[in-house]
Amino acid sequence: MTTVLLVHEISLWRASLACLLSADRELLVEVTDKGGVREAAEEWSPDIFLTDLDCPDSVEVLAEVESLRCPDSGDGALVVLARGDRPGALRRAFDAGARGYIDKFGTAKGLPEIMRKVAGGGRHIDESLAFGLLQAADVPLSRRELGVLALAAEGESVSSIAGALHLTNGTVRNYLAAAIRKTGARNRLDAIRLSKQFGWL
Amino acid sequence: MTTVLLVHEISLWRASLACLLSADRELLVEVTDKGGVREAAEEWSPDIFLTDLDCPDSVEVLAEVESLRCPDSGDGALVVLARGDRPGALRRAFDAGARGYIDKFGTAKGLPEIMRKVAGGGRHIDESLAFGLLQAADVPLSRRELGVLALAAEGESVSSIAGALHLTNGTVRNYLAAAIRKTGARNRLDAIRLSKQFGWL
């Protein structure tokens, strides 16, 4: 059996995708939202963490999953649901060590095989995401800078970003300053605007 | 049998939700994206059109479904997937004649019963959406004004909005002018900004 922990903020999509995956009898699927990741991971030790880069809380989910995974073992591989036109999100996933990239606009066939392949130590990238991943390499912001900027774009304060990502306030301010410098922006809002314009956020 | 035509732009969610609904043996589910609605509706004459207000193209999908439904018969009822914090979207759905409102953040249980109830002429509103629907009554913009403004917010030109909603350029300009006046905005961008701020878009 391959165990999959699906993390999604929208309960309808959790239930629906779990239904689709569970049609394969060799997949065991559990679902949770961000708040339940730690408890579910400790209870289930999933082979795969499956999450959606389009969720507004995906920055925090990636940080939470990363803090739980044991990168040296083959356990707990990260697979992301993505779209090709958001290189910044693909970059965040890549830097967080994702080994599977599924295009939400692609065919849903073959998902169980992808889960098994990644759980077995392999990688999978939907062909339609390849160009987005290439572009991701050109995003000048680091994953941390992108993550901090993405939360700032949601209106979060420095201290709330620090809390969500387990960083100090000073570190968050440093990442924001670096993001402003690297984007050539005038200020924080300008950096958010430019990063959205380039598809990094 | 109750036939459901699920319209969604993301193929992964189409396949997943179809899987969930099809677990009920008395539901027949077909899926399509916006471009295939007319053909699928003509082929299947669905009892229910099911669509997601969060899709960027939901304005156009609602317009397309409305042009296909026969409001005097009981056929082709509209059910929407929604969230409680977007009264403008709920208002658009209400004005388009939606008879079912499902909270995507609620429990996915009971969906087949809701489909049958609405197909049989009934109504369904998830309790968690009730407040959003109350707020929707206070949105000063008409559904058409909201729809035009939502497409303008996506960066669409007047002529492309006109094409998408089967309106003339002049009518689109009139709706935009009304939206600016009613929101007390200085211009189109300001009207978009204010409407997003109030949760109408």
Side-chain angles (χ1 to χ4, degrees), chain B residues 126-189:
Chain B
D126 272 349
E127 209 175 317
S128 46
L129 294 176
F131 186 67
L133 269 163
L134 272 178
Q135 288 180 299
D138 288 332
V139 175
L141 303 182
S142 73
R143 186 228 347 192
R144 278 303 199 188
E145 289 155 5
L146 283 168
V148 164
L149 204 59
L151 290 176
E154 297 286 318
E156 301 291 336
S157 67
V158 165
S159 60
S160 118
I161 296 171
L165 300 181
H166 312 293
L167 302 170
T168 68
N169 288 0
T171 307
V172 169
R173 280 200 200 88
N174 286 344
Y175 283 133
L176 284 170
I180 293 167
R181 193 180 67 244
K182 288 186 182 176
T183 51
R186 287 162 299 175
N187 51 44
R188 201 177 294 178
L189 269 180

Side-chain angles (χ1 to χ4, degrees), chain A residues 84-131:
Chain A
D85 57 358
R86 297 201 180 145
L90 288 168
R91 160 102 196 213
R92 281 194 283 110
F94 183 79
D95 288 349
R99 289 217 314 268
Y101 301 80
I102 294 165
D103 187 351
K104 290 163 70 180
F105 289 83
T107 171
K109 281 181 190 159
L111 287 181
E113 285 68 35
I114 295 170
M115 298 300 143
R116 279 189 281 272
K117 184 176 163 190
V118 174
R123 293 175 179 279
H124 174 86
I125 299 171
D126 273 349
E127 209 175 316
S128 47
L129 294 176
F131 185 67

